[in-house]
């Protein structure tokens, strides 16, 4: 019964399949929550071809899944959603960019309330553009790669 507490009388009514919807079992837990989304790592694991993938393949597949999970039924991403993803999922790359004209231009394009939505290619170009100008990329380039 989903972890909610029902009285035995309510359970029996529910199990008998009473056709009267107003006789639905009363519950002491909160209203039904939205279905919980499946984690990206579990989604990745469910794609057979990705089970033995490289780090690069996993990175792109992860990006594709995040895009798909956030896009609308047409497979497009609202500009406001794209901006939210940048702020929540790409924060380390956007940090310190606020003063850069190119970054401000990108954000102002996302703020425009036009009908234009981003497809996956647009989204990847957006991420790539921000990555290339990021301070984090400079830090990544200086990482020691040999022992």
């Amino acid at each position: 019964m989903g972890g909610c507490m029902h009285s035995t009388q309510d359970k029996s009514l529910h199990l008998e399949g009473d056709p009267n919807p107003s006789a639905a079992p009363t519950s002491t837990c909160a209203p039904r929550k939205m279905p919980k989304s499946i984690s990206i790592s579990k989604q990745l694991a469910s794609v057979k071809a990705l089970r033995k993938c490289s780090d690069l393949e996993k990175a792109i597949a992860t990006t594709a899944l995040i895009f798909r999970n956030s896009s609308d039924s047409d497979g497009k991403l609202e500009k406001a959603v794209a901006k939210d993803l940048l702020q929540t999922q790409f924060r380390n790359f956007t940090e310190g960019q606020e003063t850069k004209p190119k970054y401000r231009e990108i954000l102002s394009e996302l703020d425009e309330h036009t009908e234009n939505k981003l497809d996956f290619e647009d989204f990847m170009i957006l991420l790539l553009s921000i990555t290339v100008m990021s301070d984090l990329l400079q830090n990544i380039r200086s990482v020691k790669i040999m022992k």
Side-chain angles (χ1 to χ4, degrees):
M1 289 271 148
C4 298
M5 300 299 292
H6 297 279
S7 74
T8 46
Q9 180 186 3
D10 286 343
K11 247 186 214 172
S12 64
L13 278 173
H14 183 68
L15 293 174
E16 287 170 13
D18 189 340
N20 182 354
S22 65
T26 54
S27 170
T28 58
C29 65
R32 283 192 186 185
K33 293 179 182 166
M34 291 294 290
K36 199 170 182 187
S37 62
I38 298 168
S39 72
I40 294 291
S41 58
K42 285 186 178 172
Q43 290 178 48
L44 282 171
S46 73
V47 180
K48 194 174 182 180
L50 295 175
R51 292 201 181 128
K52 293 181 180 177
C53 67
S54 69
D55 290 342
L56 184 57
E57 290 166 327
K58 184 177 180 182
I60 297 297
T62 299
T63 306
L65 284 170
I66 289 170
F67 177 87
R68 193 202 69 197
N69 292 346
S70 303
S71 61
D72 62 19
S73 58
D74 294 329
K76 303 276 182 151
L77 201 60
E78 297 276 347
K79 287 183 174 184
V81 174
K83 187 173 180 182
D84 183 62
L85 283 174
L86 290 178
Q87 293 168 340
T88 59
Q89 299 282 318
F90 214 59
R91 186 174 48 247
N92 290 312
F93 282 96
T94 60
E95 200 169 83
Q97 304 280 18
E98 299 82 9
T99 59
K100 296 180 181 175
K102 179 68 178 160
Y103 181 73
R104 290 206 310 253
E105 181 185 321
I106 289 170
L107 282 192
S108 70
E109 287 174 23
L110 291 177
D111 284 335
E112 288 174 12
H113 294 291
T114 61
E115 292 301 309
N116 296 345
K117 296 178 183 179
L118 289 93
D119 61 17
F120 184 65
E121 183 179 349
D122 296 329
F123 183 65
M124 290 298 286
I125 291 168
L126 173 69
L127 295 180
L128 180 62
S129 299
I130 291 171
T131 300
V132 167
M133 70 174 121
S134 72
D135 298 331
L136 181 55
L137 183 60
Q138 301 311 313
N139 294 344
I140 291 168
R141 287 180 172 157
S142 67
V143 168
K144 186 177 175 183
I145 57 173
M146 302 297 278
K147 288 185 179 180

